[in-house]
Amino acid sequence: MPSDTSRAPRRSSSRRGFLRLAGGAAGGIATAAHALETGDPLAIPEWSRTPGAPSASPPYGRPSPYENLGRKSRTPPAFPGASSTGTPLQHLHGIITPNGLHFERHHAGVPAIDPVRHRLAIHGLVERPLILTMDDLVRMPSVSRIHFLECSGNTPWLGAKPGWTLQESHGLLSCAEWTGVELSTLLDEVGVKPGAAWILAEGADAAGMSRSIPLDLARDGAILAYAQNGERLRPEQGYPLRLFVPGVEGNLSIKWLRRLKVGDQPFQTREETSKYTDLMPDGSARQFTFVMEAKSVITTPSGGEQLRAPGFREIRGLAWTGRGRIAGVEVSTDGGARWQAAVLEGPILTRCLTRFRLPWRWEGGPAHLLSRATDETGYVQPPRAALVSVRGIQSFYHNNGIAGWHVAAEGGVSHAV
Ligand SMILES: Nc1nc2c(c(=O)[nH]1)N[C@H]1C(S)=C(S)[C@@H](COP(=O)(O)O)O[C@H]1N2
Ligand SMILES: [Mo]
């Protein structure tokens, strides 16, 4: 039994006794609710009495009408097409983000691309420049890998915002299985010339979004992805083709990819000069801060939830790192005075979300829930104050500081750091 449960009085040594879900102060599970409604807990409900709807209606399935999930706009659009929507992480389970709930970040909206007319050009410092159709790419050797994608602007440096839900504080984070051609396969095909060191990737959207990617990073598992969780990419995720660079800020994963140009130095595009740099306290700016360092967050309880009755409640969350695998996650329920090791749920994949969980009893008083991830390099997710002491508060991107939730005595949950 985990250490924090040993303090709870136990009526029974069985697991059921420990959870004490039925009856008592922590009652209120389905059986009890059904009994209230019908007076008979084993009565046959109406949906068991006649055959249900036939299958294939609609042909592409949808969630139950009782599930009311949606992405939510994160920022008011600054100019036409600029938008972002957050994944409702607080309502999801496991590590995979359903395609319809993957977060979105568009600098000039979602282009409507005809896959038959779309082309990928690769040129610059290469022996054999190429122009590829989607059919050409899909015929090539393929890989499928599960990785997280996080916008480096996901969690602003604002400190505690009591009104925030998880969708607002961490929603520009999703995780999917990406299928496509490894970029290194294509680079071998075109033959990179001596002196080549960077690759420009350019999107076919009206923003013409482009970033420079070091050749080493491009060869470290980057994918020319055409599928996501088993089906072709969603238009919002870059249909028909996106670059997917695992472990680094989402901005490098250029959607609607139309061109790759190999060069001997970075191309100094708008997105790596005026944007996606980190302003330091001395006025200098850090450029090319690619990697997403270890980070974690508790997904439940989280902001906006209302705990109703004291009793057992599993604390659950997600941890991730751009440097490989998550090695451990610790959870505190008292604002960081004491930490306990959470259980990591497998599979623990590289540059992927990892689920963690910890049994907890809410005794009814205030609590301050925090989580802290450690990755396989030994890097430990820092407190916000430690980040601020080095980087000041002018930075906008790459906030991976410890954050969590405050549980009020009456059970209301709000954002806290
Ligand atoms: N062509 C293009 N690629 C793009 C963007 C864009 O606006 N245009 N947004 C970038 C940013 S800032 C992020 S965080 C990710 C978001 O990917 P998603 O919308 O699939 O979640 O795509 C990146 N690739
Ligand atoms: Mo982003």
Side-chain angles (χ1 to χ4, degrees), residues 316-341:
R316 298 182 190 133
L318 293 166
W320 61 102
T321 170
R323 290 212 179 88
R325 288 179 176 78
I326 286 293
V329 176
E330 298 155 285
V331 170
S332 175
T333 57
D334 56 11
R338 287 171 303 163
W339 295 89
Q340 299 175 70

Side-chain angles (χ1 to χ4, degrees), residues 297-309:
V297 70
I298 292 169
T299 56
T300 185
S302 69
E305 262 187 77
Q306 174 67 48
L307 309 192
R308 304 234 172 258

Side-chain angles (χ1 to χ4, degrees), residues 102-105 107 151 205 237 242 250-251 253 255 276:
H102 196 285
F103 85 92
E104 304 166 88
R105 175 73 180 102
H107 290 67
C151 178
D205 51 341
Q237 266 61 61
R242 89 177 298 163
N251 191 254
S253 289
K255 301 190 280 189
Y276 299 95

Side-chain angles (χ1 to χ4, degrees), residues 71 81 83-85 87 102-109 111 149-153 172-174 178 201-211 228 234-238 242-244 249-257 271 276 397:
R71 289 179 288 214
S83 62
S84 60
T85 62
T87 296
H102 196 285
F103 85 92
E104 304 166 88
R105 175 73 180 102
H106 317 305
H107 290 67
L149 183 70
E150 185 184 18
C151 178
S152 52
L172 303 185
L173 167 73
S174 299
W178 302 96
E202 182 186 72
D205 51 341
M209 259 241 8
S210 47
R211 284 296 302 258
Q228 170 190 2
R234 293 288 170 101
E236 311 87 71
Q237 266 61 61
R242 89 177 298 163
L243 181 62
F244 189 92
E249 61 184 3
N251 191 254
L252 265 71
S253 289
I254 299 293
K255 301 190 280 189
W256 313 294
L257 185 70
E271 307 301 322
Y276 299 95
Y397 305 101

